[in-house]
């Protein structure tokens, strides 16, 4: 990697994007700064914010041509990004794109196809989740270059060291697509880092050398990250190396859960709408969208630890008499506590499972939101899956909180109470929280710290793949009438395989079909950590191995030929996965590209 002036961490979030940086040429190079991002906050108003809301608004033709919607670096941008986009899009939802990051990991759709805005039918511009993510990153690039590199082309963002965060639960395809989006934005030299790790790195940065006084050998640290759109959990174990110093290793990663602050805002809006309905004040869809935004502000103020007991909520009327038809209401802290704590952070047992979705005959197609909003029940399933060699549940001893939702003392205290009850139930002692300074900005700051650590200035967490990867292979056995040929799961990349390493399987041969279009089903497991490269698992459907995606490709070769092959796999330095089938008889190799089609 060539020398660069800045190390930049980018938290490409579901609801907000944050950028942090450090200057490698200054005496205080260890100081990490947050880049204040220029953006439209309303028509004709340019301002800077610590975060860029991850929303795109597809402008009308008149808006593209209007100077009120122009940016200093671009006068005719087709889409607005940021605060104005979020607010304007709430008024014109058919032109609003949100949660692009969550669409990147939705294997049921063509993530490189023009599908967003999702619920809009008929004519009108649409773009892909990859393109939407790229446009957010392009806004970051242009804003940085305007503010930081206007007089020096060597300081443009494309020439700096970029560390881009992804959820720990992102699979190999979602990571590859994130890299594709970054390359489309002009970033050809990036490194991926998992968000919970970045949050922990931020704590390391804030703590300095004193972090070793806060944790000790044998501690199991839970990173509980509940943001605007998602919840992510990771476990980091504190170990001792051969020199007697403390080491950190990420040992478990949870599923990608689409439940977070946005769900809470929606729940509060329905709660308030129900109260208004009882007073004969029924809201239409347009007013409900405005109410969700107002409830977000109310939630943040009521949970701000400033002693606010009640917060006013105003809902605009419809038609010419907007002011006359305005509805005034309020949210009380005690009601919000009941809705949020009991609905999203309920007290539950360690053995509790998230509620399953109801068996409806037909469901709306879209993002795979969690059927159960109870975040603590999802947490119970995650921590109960982490066991010691004797099969006993190994509960965390330390918690690091992250994400905008966890800014609330009430919510953190509830999670700690639930964890403490679990530990008391199995006799594993107490649990403690380590202090975090900023729950909104820590992931970007931690990514910048990781960049420093990668260059030898800081502590690193040993991690690697957060899932084991498998390929479904057809079993070699006699055909039976009426019975489909069974498949087995071939482990192609084990849990924990580290970036920059590769492995190969030479002990067993497989037949590769070339010369025609074929499909490869890729499978994953976040709990099977002992499977090795080349291991074959029978009855995988019952072994906590699930389908991830299907690769459809045409491999060059003689028509419909069967080639005896072994295989090798590499986890690249940037955090993506490469798989190669290697001919037994010559030096020919076939790479399976992760350009996947939707899973049938």
């Amino acid at each position: 990697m060539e020398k660069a002036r800045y190390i930049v961490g980018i938290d490409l979030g579901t609801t907000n994007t944050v950028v942090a940086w450090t200057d490698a040429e200054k005496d205080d190079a260890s100081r990490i700064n947050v880049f204040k991002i220029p953006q439209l906050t309303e028509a004709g108003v340019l301002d800077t914010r610590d975060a860029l809301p991850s929303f795109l608004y597809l402008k009308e033709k008149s808006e593209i041509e209007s100077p009120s919607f122009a940016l200093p670096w671009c006068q005719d941008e087709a889409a607005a990004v940021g605060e104005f986009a979020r607010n304007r899009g709430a008024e014109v939802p058919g032109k609003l794109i949100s949660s692009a990051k969550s669409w990147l990991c939705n294997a049921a759709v063509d993530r490189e196809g023009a599908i967003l805005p999702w619920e809009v039918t008929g004519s009108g511009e649409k773009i892909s989740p990859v393109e939407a993510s790229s446009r957010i990153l392009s806004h970051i690039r242009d804003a940085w270059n305007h503010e930081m590199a206007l007089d020096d082309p060597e300081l443009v963002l494309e020439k700096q060291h970029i560390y881009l965060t992804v959820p720990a639960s992102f699979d190999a395809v979602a990571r590859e697509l994130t890299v594709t989006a970054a390359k489309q934005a002009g970033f050809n030299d990036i490194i991926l880092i998992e968000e919970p790790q970045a949050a922990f790195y931020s704590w390391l940065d804030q703590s300095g050398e004193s972090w070793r006084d806060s944790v000790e050998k044998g501690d199991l640290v839970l990173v509980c990250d509940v943001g605007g759109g998602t919840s992510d959990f990771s476990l980091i174990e504190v170990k001792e190396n051969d020199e007697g110093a403390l080491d950190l290793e990420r040992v478990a990663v949870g599923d990608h859960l689409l439940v977070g602050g946005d769900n809470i805002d929606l729940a509060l809006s329905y709660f308030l709408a129900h109260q208004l309905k009882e007073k004969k004040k029924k809201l239409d869809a347009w007013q409900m969208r405005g109410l969700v935004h107002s409830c977000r502000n109310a939630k943040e103020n009521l949970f701000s630890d400033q002693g606010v007991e009640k917060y006013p909520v105003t809902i605009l009327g419809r038609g010419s008499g907007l002011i006359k038809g305005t509805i005034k209401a309020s949210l009380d802290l005690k009601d919000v506590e009941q809705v949020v704590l009991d609905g999203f952070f309920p007290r539950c047992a360690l053995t509790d499972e998230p509620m399953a979705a109801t068996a409806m005959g037909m469901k709306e197609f879209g993002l795979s939101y969690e059927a159960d909003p109870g975040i603590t029940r999802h947490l119970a399933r995650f921590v109960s899956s982490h066991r010691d060699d004797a099969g006993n549940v190994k509960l965390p001893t330390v918690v690091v909180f992250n994400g905008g939702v966890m800014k609330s003392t009430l919510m953190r205290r509830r999670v700690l109470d639930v964890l403490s009850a679990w530990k008391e139930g199995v006799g594993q002692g107490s649990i403690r929280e380590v202090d975090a300074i900023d729950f909104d900005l820590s992931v970007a700051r931690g990514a910048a710290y990781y960049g420093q650590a990668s260059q030898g200035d800081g502590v690193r967490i040993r991690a690697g793949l957060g899932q084991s990867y498998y390929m479904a292979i057809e079993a070699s056995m006699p055909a039976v009438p009426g019975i489909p040929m069974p498949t087995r799961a071939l482990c192609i990349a084990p849990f924990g395989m580290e970036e920059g390493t590769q492995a190969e399987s030479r002990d067993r041969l497989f037949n590769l079909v070339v010369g025609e279009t074929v499909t490869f089903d890729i499978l994953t497991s976040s709990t099977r950590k002992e499977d090795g490269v080349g291991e074959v698992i029978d009855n995988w459907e019952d072994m906590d191995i699930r389908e991830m995606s299907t690769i459809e490709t045409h491999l060059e070769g003689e028509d419909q030929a069967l080639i005896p092959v072994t295989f090798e796999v590499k986890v690249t330095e940037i955090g993506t996965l490469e798989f190669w089938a290697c001919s037994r008889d010559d030096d020919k190799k076939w790479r399976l590209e992760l350009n996947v089609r939707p899973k049938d």
Side-chain angles (χ1 to χ4, degrees):
M1 185 179 287
E2 296 182 4
K3 181 177 176 58
R5 171 76 177 268
Y6 296 111
I7 295 171
V8 182
I10 302 178
D11 172 16
L12 181 62
T14 308
T15 53
N16 286 290
T17 296
V18 180
V19 180
W21 59 274
T22 184
D23 189 338
E25 294 186 2
K26 293 290 183 68
D27 292 336
D28 60 347
S30 61
R31 181 186 175 195
I32 295 174
N33 308 273
V34 173
F35 175 60
K36 292 188 176 297
I37 305 169
Q39 58 194 282
L40 286 178
T41 55
E42 56 183 282
V45 179
L46 183 73
D47 207 344
T48 60
R49 297 284 189 269
D50 284 342
L52 178 77
S54 303
F55 295 79
L56 288 90
Y57 167 70
L58 304 178
K59 299 177 187 175
E60 299 280 3
K61 185 176 186 299
S62 60
E63 293 172 326
I64 295 175
E65 298 171 349
S66 171
S68 296
F69 300 92
L71 292 166
W73 52 83
C74 183
Q75 304 301 309
D76 57 355
E77 186 66 59
V81 182
E83 187 173 318
F84 166 75
R86 181 187 63 195
N87 298 339
R88 176 64 174 151
E91 300 171 354
V92 192
K95 290 186 167 294
L96 179 66
I97 295 174
S98 61
S99 302
K101 175 180 173 181
S102 295
W103 285 101
L104 283 180
C105 63
N106 188 342
V109 301
D110 179 2
R111 288 161 278 185
E112 294 185 272
I115 62 173
L116 301 179
W118 176 253
E119 295 181 347
V120 177
T121 58
S123 61
E125 183 188 3
K126 286 195 171 189
I127 62 176
S128 71
V130 171
E131 175 66 18
S133 300
S134 177
R135 291 198 188 191
I136 295 171
L137 291 171
S138 294
H139 182 103
I140 295 294
R141 176 202 65 207
D142 293 337
W144 171 283
N145 293 346
H146 182 266
E147 296 290 311
M148 305 284 286
L150 203 56
D151 300 321
D152 188 346
E154 290 302 310
L155 300 184
V156 296
L157 191 55
E158 302 95 298
K159 294 187 177 182
Q160 311 313 309
H161 294 323
I162 307 295
Y163 294 84
L164 183 62
T165 67
V166 293
S169 51
F170 256 26
D171 60 36
V173 175
R175 290 170 190 251
E176 189 73 34
L177 292 174
T178 302
V179 172
T180 299
K183 288 182 176 179
Q184 288 182 6
F187 305 136
N188 294 311
D189 188 11
I190 68 164
I191 300 291
L192 300 181
I193 172 176
E194 295 174 2
E195 290 164 8
Q197 284 191 64
F200 192 82
Y201 277 125
S202 180
W203 173 72
L204 288 175
D205 175 56
Q206 295 162 11
S207 302
E209 289 301 314
S210 66
W211 74 269
R212 292 178 174 83
D213 301 325
S214 301
V215 296
E216 58 189 22
K217 177 185 175 182
D219 270 334
L220 188 63
V221 182
L222 166 68
V223 182
C224 180
D225 184 355
V226 184
T230 60
S231 295
D232 284 286
F233 310 123
S234 288
L235 289 173
I236 296 172
E237 191 168 356
V238 182
K239 298 183 176 182
E240 190 175 79
N241 60 27
D242 295 337
E243 289 76 36
L246 293 181
D247 265 353
L248 301 167
E249 180 179 1
R250 197 262 285 114
V251 294
V253 172
D255 293 331
H256 190 65
L257 305 173
L258 287 183
V259 57
D262 294 344
N263 303 69
I264 294 174
D265 301 335
L266 191 61
L268 291 174
S269 67
Y270 276 107
F271 171 80
L272 198 54
H274 179 72
Q275 287 188 331
L276 292 170
K277 186 177 180 180
E278 291 181 338
K279 298 176 182 178
K280 310 301 181 184
K281 297 178 180 178
K282 187 175 180 180
L283 307 181
D284 61 22
W286 183 86
Q287 290 172 311
M288 280 298 298
R289 285 192 291 270
L291 180 57
V292 172
H293 182 70
S294 298
C295 285
R296 180 187 302 118
N297 293 332
K299 174 197 70 179
E300 292 172 354
N301 280 275
L302 289 168
F303 284 153
S304 65
D305 300 330
Q306 300 299 317
V308 179
E309 296 291 331
K310 180 179 290 191
Y311 193 83
V313 174
T314 301
I315 306 148
L316 293 179
R318 298 303 302 270
S320 58
L322 287 178
I323 304 301
K324 183 178 178 181
T326 294
I327 301 171
K328 293 192 177 293
S330 64
L331 278 172
D332 294 340
L333 179 60
K334 59 180 178 61
D335 292 331
V336 174
E337 289 179 7
Q338 178 183 351
V339 172
V340 176
L341 292 180
D342 294 345
F344 292 88
F345 298 93
R347 298 184 188 278
C348 62
L350 180 59
T351 54
D352 284 353
E353 287 278 335
M355 294 181 292
T358 54
M360 298 290 291
M362 187 174 291
K363 300 180 181 181
E364 189 174 25
F365 194 85
L367 287 174
S368 301
Y369 294 106
E370 301 307 317
D372 187 350
I375 293 171
T376 43
R377 284 190 286 269
H378 292 285
L379 180 59
R381 180 169 63 182
F382 169 65
V383 298
S384 62
S385 67
H386 185 66
R387 299 174 180 267
D388 60 21
D389 294 338
N392 300 313
V393 176
K394 191 175 180 182
L395 291 170
T397 57
V398 180
V399 183
V400 174
F401 289 109
N402 187 60
V405 172
M406 304 317 298
K407 288 190 290 187
S408 167
T409 302
L410 286 169
M411 298 188 203
R412 297 199 306 276
R413 187 181 300 132
R414 171 56 66 88
V415 173
L416 286 169
D417 288 346
V418 170
L419 288 166
S420 296
W422 295 345
K423 291 183 73 67
E424 290 173 6
V426 296
Q428 289 191 19
S430 60
I431 190 162
R432 62 192 188 277
E433 174 188 0
V434 298
D435 294 330
I437 294 178
D438 196 305
F439 297 93
D440 289 322
L441 310 177
S442 59
V443 168
R445 295 176 61 92
Y449 175 89
Y450 172 78
Q452 291 179 321
S454 297
Q455 299 185 23
D457 184 18
V459 179
R460 292 194 62 177
I461 302 169
R462 288 189 292 119
L465 294 178
Q467 304 175 65
S468 295
Y469 289 88
Y470 307 81
M471 181 182 293
I473 59 173
E474 188 176 281
S476 177
M477 59 180 291
V480 178
I483 304 297
M485 193 67 71
T487 61
R488 293 168 175 158
L490 168 67
C491 182
I492 58 175
F495 183 97
M497 187 173 176
E498 296 188 4
E499 288 85 355
T501 64
Q502 60 185 42
E504 57 185 28
S505 174
R506 303 295 188 194
D507 299 332
R508 187 169 183 171
L509 286 174
F510 302 92
N511 279 325
L512 181 72
V513 179
V514 299
E516 63 176 298
T517 299
V518 292
T519 60
F520 297 86
D521 288 340
I522 306 300
L523 322 169
T524 66
S525 175
S526 57
T527 59
R528 294 181 64 90
K529 302 177 183 178
E530 305 303 322
D531 294 337
V533 173
E535 191 167 342
V536 177
I537 296 93
D538 289 314
N539 303 315
W540 59 267
E541 298 91 341
D542 303 320
M543 300 293 181
D544 201 22
I545 298 174
R546 62 183 184 275
E547 296 177 335
M548 183 189 81
S549 60
T550 294
I551 299 173
E552 185 177 278
T553 187
H554 185 282
L555 300 178
E556 291 186 1
E558 185 179 339
D559 287 352
Q560 299 182 347
L562 291 178
I563 308 295
V565 296
T566 58
F567 71 87
E568 59 187 40
V569 64
K570 179 180 180 181
V571 182
T572 69
E573 288 79 1
I574 66 174
T576 58
L577 190 65
E578 292 182 357
F579 176 86
W580 299 80
C582 309
S583 172
R584 177 197 62 182
D585 301 325
D586 52 38
D587 59 358
K588 195 164 187 176
K589 293 183 178 182
W590 294 265
R591 181 185 176 187
L592 295 189
E593 302 279 357
L594 291 177
N595 52 340
V596 299
R597 64 174 173 81
K599 182 67 188 170
D600 293 333

